[in-house]
Each structure stands twice: as structure tokens, then as C-alpha cells.
């Protein structure tokens, strides 16, 4: 966020599958997988359990989105943040996973248009 302020842009955690998303969502998830790191993305269900919203745009992240790992979201009220994780059964692309917000991961940011 500080980099965005310093360059007169709006920067925040990346969003996938929204009107303001990163171009090439699948490619982004493939790059995350190739790097082998779990990373934070900008969605949460902290306000209403099971209702995943992208923090910057407020758009909903559908539970039927094919980017979710097969058994996720699964953490209930203890896992309210979204990470893109690398799962051993799926080597070609990272998948969404709900996880505790207290974990430490790298993150992916994006530049948002100013309205």
C-alpha cells in the first residue's frame, strides 16, 4: 500500500476473477505454483462466515469458483483469510485455500484503477 501511495496508485492484495482482477488469472496461479510458495490474496469471510468477499472491490468470491482446492473452504470461523496454495496432488496450478489469518506467507499485490 505504501508503494502505491508513493507512486500515486492504489495497491492492495491481488484479486482473482473480479472485474478488477489481474489479467491472466490462471497464469497467475500457475506462476504461484511454479514458485512453490503459498501466498496471501485479498479475500476474506471474516464478516459473514462462508461469504467470501474481495477486500478492495467488495466483489463476492463464489464458493463454486474452480480455483478453490477440492475440500475448501473448510476452516469455519478459525480460517478467514485466503491464500493460494500449492497442493501435492495438483502440480500445475495453485489453488485457493481458507486459512488462519495469523499465518505468515508471502503475498501478491496488484495495482487498482483509481475511480
Amino acid at each position: 500500500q505504501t508503494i502505491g501511495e508513493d507512486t500515486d496508485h492504489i495497491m492492495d492484495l491481488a484479486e482473482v476473477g473480479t472485474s478488477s482482477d489481474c489479467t491472466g488469472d490462471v497464469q497467475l496461479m500457475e506462476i504461484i505454483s511454479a514458485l512453490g510458495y503459498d501466498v496471501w490474496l485479498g479475500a476474506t469471510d471474516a464478516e459473514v462466515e462462508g461469504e467470501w468477499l474481495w477486500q478492495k472491490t467488495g466483489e463476492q468470491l463464489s464458493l463454486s469458483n474452480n480455483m478453490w482446492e477440492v475440500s475448501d473452504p473448510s476452516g469455519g470461523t478459525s480460517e478467514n483469510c485466503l491464500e493460494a496454495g500449492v497442493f501435492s496432488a495438483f502440480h500445475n496450478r495453485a489453488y485457493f485455500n481458507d486459512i488462519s489469518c495469523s499465518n505468515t506467507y508471502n503475498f501478491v499485490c496488484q495495482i487498482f484503477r483509481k475511480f
Side-chain angles (χ1 to χ4, degrees), residues 5-112:
E5 292 169 5
D6 291 345
T7 61
D8 198 32
H9 290 88
I10 298 172
M11 293 183 76
D12 213 320
L13 290 173
E15 298 186 359
V16 178
T18 69
S19 59
S20 297
D21 64 359
C22 299
T23 302
D25 291 337
V26 172
Q27 291 83 5
L28 173 64
M29 299 298 273
E30 289 171 349
I31 290 168
I32 292 168
S33 180
L35 292 173
Y37 299 117
D38 293 347
V39 297
W40 290 121
L41 297 176
T44 182
D45 74 339
E47 286 190 36
V48 177
E49 180 59 33
E51 184 177 302
W52 285 87
L53 300 175
W54 292 106
Q55 294 178 40
K56 190 65 182 170
T57 63
E59 291 185 43
Q60 187 166 8
L61 169 57
S62 173
L63 297 178
S64 63
N65 185 303
N66 71 354
M67 299 263 185
W68 284 104
E69 198 274 328
V70 175
S71 62
D72 285 305
S74 63
T77 59
S78 66
E79 296 183 355
N80 293 324
C81 288
L82 184 73
E83 59 116 8
V86 180
F87 297 90
S88 60
F90 307 105
H91 298 287
N92 61 333
R93 182 181 94 191
Y95 287 83
F96 295 156
N97 177 37
D98 60 328
I99 199 156
S100 171
C101 300
S102 63
N103 290 5
T104 302
Y105 293 115
N106 294 309
F107 49 89
V108 176
C109 291
Q110 80 179 72
I111 298 171
F112 291 85

